Amino acid sequence: MGSSNSAWLTTSQLCTALTISRSKLCRWQQRKVFRQGVHWVRKNPAAPCSDQLWSLAACRSVLHKP
C-alpha cells in the first residue's frame, strides 16, 4: 500500500479523513480553495461529470498552512 502522501481518495473518503461535510467540500471547491489538477482529478478525464479523486496530502497542506 502507498504512503499517505500519495493517497487518492473518493469524495466520501476525503470527507471522512478531513472530518468535513460534503457540502463544505463543495463550497471550498467552488471557491477554488481546492483546484482541479492539484487537489482533485476526474476518474475519467473524458467525462465531465465523472467522479472525482482527491489528493489527501494536497488537501491537508491547504488546510494546515500556518
Side-chain angles (χ1 to χ4, degrees), residues 13-54:
Q13 290 171 327
L14 181 76
C15 289
T16 299
L18 298 178
T19 61
I20 61 171
S21 68
R22 187 180 287 254
S23 61
K24 179 172 273 201
L25 179 64
C26 290
R27 279 194 305 273
W28 287 345
Q29 189 177 14
Q30 290 171 346
R31 293 177 184 157
K32 306 288 187 211
V33 173
F34 296 133
R35 296 183 321 242
Q36 185 174 6
V38 176
H39 302 99
W40 62 274
V41 295
R42 296 238 178 247
K43 277 187 180 180
N44 179 357
C49 291
S50 114
D51 290 338
Q52 300 165 351
L53 293 175
W54 296 84

